[in-house]
Amino acid sequence: GDVIHRMLTATQYIAPLMANFNPSYSRNSTVQYLDNGTVFVVQWDKVYLQGKEDMGSFTFQAALHSSGRIVFGYKEIPVPVLQISASQHPVKAGLSDAFMVLNPAPDVP
């Protein structure tokens, strides 16, 4: 849409796994993408949680198909997702399509 606001990334996302990842921790960590016209794929490969590098690396991806189908794939998740701390960054997986409505009426918040 045309509306950009400070909560955009918190309200509108497609996330196979959102957490406090630090792709710059290792030279082997990458975030790669591929678009062949029918599918757009983003892969987080060997990424580590900031300050929790000893937990191990995570590898996962999201594939957005031109048909509208969205597929999340997980190769390496070294700890249960419920054990990932959300104190520094929200931990989420899924889709969110929240939106803003601009209402010109002065008496309606």
Side-chain angles (χ1 to χ4, degrees):
D2 295 333
V3 178
I4 296 177
H5 53 90
R6 65 183 176 86
M7 294 297 292
L8 185 66
T9 57
T11 59
Q12 297 177 329
Y13 56 83
I14 299 172
L17 182 56
M18 182 188 306
N20 195 22
F21 289 109
N22 178 9
S24 66
Y25 172 75
S26 169
R27 299 182 108 198
N28 296 324
S29 299
T30 59
V31 179
Q32 302 175 56
Y33 66 90
L34 166 93
D35 184 354
N36 70 6
T38 60
V39 64
F40 176 77
V41 179
V42 179
Q43 178 165 307
W44 292 259
D45 191 37
K46 297 181 181 76
V47 294
Y48 292 83
L49 289 168
Q50 177 73 40
K52 299 290 183 181
E53 291 82 4
D54 59 327
M55 286 185 167
S57 68
F58 293 71
T59 297
F60 53 92
Q61 64 180 212
L64 287 65
H65 296 261
S66 60
S67 66
R69 186 170 63 125
I70 299 171
V71 178
F72 295 157
Y74 303 92
K75 183 176 180 185
E76 294 176 334
I77 306 295
V79 296
V81 173
L82 293 175
Q83 290 183 9
I84 299 173
S85 172
S87 64
Q88 298 296 315
H89 191 287
V91 177
K92 302 177 185 179
L95 311 172
S96 177
D97 189 20
F99 58 92
M100 289 181 62
V101 175
L102 301 175
N103 190 335
D107 58 335
V108 177

